[in-house]
Amino acid sequence: MEFKSFLVKYGEIGVKGKNRFKFEDALIHQIRLALRKTGADYEIVREHGRIYVDMEDGYDYEDTVDALKRVFGLVTICPVVRFAEKDFEAVKRAAVEYMKQVYGDRKMTFKVFTRRIDKSYPGTSETISADLGEVILNGCPNLKVDVKNPEIPLHVEIRNEGVSIYSISIPGPGGMPVGTNGRAMLLLSGGIDSPVAGYMIAKRGVLIEAVYFHAPPYTSERAKQKVVELAKLVSRYAGPVNLHIVNFTDIQLYIYEKCPHEELTIIMRRYMMRIAEMIARKNGSKALITGESIGQVASQTVDSLVSTNEVCTMPVFRPLIGFDKLEIIERSEQIGTYETSIEPYEDCCTIFVAKHPVTHPDAERIRKSEESLGERINELVQEAVRTKERILCEM
Ligand code: ATP
Ligand code: MG
């Protein structure tokens, strides 16, 4: 069967009244962004709280379904047959034809579910379902009715504008449409964790921006390209991502010169958070996102997290906080970032890592060490923010 239309469904819990329009507008905007990449022509039609995507001839089914499967907020994607002819004889013919084309002569069970949205249509949903069940049984000897647990739930919707028939439900990613829950700044490194963290927050409807701290020549151009690539991969779900690339070299070298080396990682992380927050504030982001998880590395013990958190005034979202590494890897494989994340380019922390970094930083000592950086560090921070590069990442 060649489908020309998709009925896309979203979870309705908590989307009532005025919010519903905002939610649907954002959802449609994201569907358009996702479909733009397929190059297909289409029209989006809203009817009685239903959203249909009507495709023009020559579109690619697989590409379209793949794109829709990445739109947060979509719970199910149903390829649907839509037609204007509402005469019941025509509906019967269409239902039989649908079953033949989609299921061929496979032995299966079905049940008809009718929604009579057009209240002037003759009959009740029960009588319509019963009548359609009967003509399908007559027309398709391979099919049987099972009212308790049908393999094929055949949905027939009699609308004011016409009739819809569908039985296939492809799971969408769930979540909320990007843009319905504000904006946040993701600290994106080249690792496995932060792209997954960005994905998870975007899934809750948050528009994400990203910042990467680059330390040339200690970190290579290839390492930076890898982060650009990861931002693009995340953008397949999150929509176009503005990636800010901050040159962190002078700050790192300066901290290296002035502070005890075992405190380097933690102090560097504190400066990353401070700078991320400065950029976030300028761009309307209201929270930070990191890929931290308790105990994963020395800079992620509870004491270290307390220390890096201390310098932020914005909330820091750490969606992976309770995840094991293996669970994070599994997610990164699912969303398609893993292969890129494991490419072996050094990230900016590895070069300056001390042999025995502090794992339980003492707040007072860290603050003392930072005092030794004096006014100069603020100049370096200002300079780093002023000279940052910005790349719009999309694919
Ligand atoms: P990831 O897999 O995300 O790189 P990681 O296990 O390497 O994480 P850390 O290096 O301790 O962990 O970093 C913790 C978090 O700090 C990262 O998840 C990321 O959000 C942020 N971060 C670390 N390095 C950078 C960087 N160079 N640029 C931007 N953010 C960074
Ligand atoms: Mg890292």
Side-chain angles (χ1 to χ4, degrees), residues 41-293:
D41 286 324
Y42 60 89
E43 195 185 343
I44 294 179
V45 180
R46 283 196 219 195
E47 266 176 31
H48 330 279
R50 287 280 203 225
I51 300 174
Y52 295 95
V53 186
D54 290 343
M55 308 303 298
E56 296 290 335
D57 285 349
Y59 86 103
D60 187 287
Y61 178 86
E62 299 296 332
D63 286 358
T64 303
V65 170
D66 272 356
L68 292 173
K69 275 164 91 174
R70 288 195 292 263
V71 176
F72 292 137
L74 290 186
V75 176
T76 17
I77 300 151
C78 308
V80 61
V81 171
R82 271 151 60 77
F83 49 94
E85 175 62 69
K86 282 166 71 175
D87 178 79
F88 196 45
E89 290 308 312
V91 177
K92 285 182 187 166
R93 277 196 303 275
V96 175
E97 193 53 29
Y98 177 97
M99 294 305 250
K100 280 190 173 157
Q101 289 218 20
V102 176
Y103 299 101
D105 53 12
R106 280 184 280 165
K107 287 204 183 326
M108 294 178 84
T109 61
F110 77 100
K111 177 181 178 182
V112 183
F113 296 84
T114 302
R115 263 184 82 193
R116 209 169 127 274
I117 297 161
D118 173 2
K119 294 297 173 208
S120 69
Y121 200 79
T124 66
S125 33
E126 287 77 28
T127 60
I128 296 171
S129 292
D131 289 352
L132 291 177
E134 199 179 311
V135 290
I136 291 168
L137 281 175
N138 290 336
C140 312
N142 53 309
L143 298 179
K144 277 205 300 231
V145 171
D146 181 346
V147 289
K148 285 233 174 65
N149 197 12
E151 290 167 294
I152 308 168
L154 182 71
H155 296 272
V156 177
E157 298 188 353
I158 315 275
R159 303 169 293 116
N160 296 330
E161 295 79 359
V163 180
S164 302
I165 298 184
Y166 63 95
S167 63
I168 301 169
S169 292
I170 301 164
M176 314 267 290
V178 169
T180 52
N181 273 322
R183 186 194 293 246
M185 176 67 75
L186 168 67
L187 283 87
L188 182 62
S189 66
I192 295 167
D193 309 329
S194 43
V196 178
Y199 169 95
M200 288 177 70
I201 297 300
K203 188 175 171 196
R204 298 309 305 158
V206 179
L207 187 67
I208 58 171
E209 283 200 65
V211 56
Y212 167 58
F213 296 93
H214 183 43
Y218 304 98
T219 58
S220 64
E221 187 59 27
R222 295 291 295 276
K224 173 174 144 187
Q225 282 315 318
K226 172 179 160 182
V227 175
V228 170
E229 187 57 30
L230 286 170
K232 285 185 180 173
L233 289 171
V234 172
S235 83
R236 297 193 306 162
Y237 304 89
V241 175
N242 252 320
L243 172 65
H244 304 269
I245 298 176
V246 174
N247 187 323
F248 204 54
T249 311
D250 291 346
I251 294 173
Q252 241 176 345
L253 289 172
Y254 185 60
I255 299 172
Y256 192 71
E257 180 191 325
K258 295 283 180 185
C259 300
H261 289 180
E262 65 275 15
E263 291 173 6
L264 187 72
T265 304
I266 201 87
I267 293 176
M268 259 170 34
R269 300 270 305 114
R270 283 160 65 99
Y271 276 95
M272 283 186 192
M273 300 298 261
R274 288 181 174 111
I275 294 171
E277 192 169 296
M278 288 168 73
I279 302 171
R281 192 160 286 125
K282 269 196 198 144
N283 290 278
S285 282
K286 295 193 175 134
L288 304 180
I289 307 163
T290 75
E292 290 163 312
S293 143

Side-chain angles (χ1 to χ4, degrees), residues 1 34 227 327 347 365:
M1 179 107 203
V227 175
E327 293 171 305
D347 74 28
R365 272 178 60 184

Side-chain angles (χ1 to χ4, degrees), residues 263 267 270 306-307 310 360-372:
E263 291 173 6
I267 293 176
R270 283 160 65 99
V306 168
S307 180
E310 193 187 58
H360 302 284
D362 173 74
E364 208 40 53
R365 272 178 60 184
I366 297 290
R367 254 173 262 151
K368 273 244 157 59
S369 302
E370 286 185 353
E371 271 167 31
S372 72

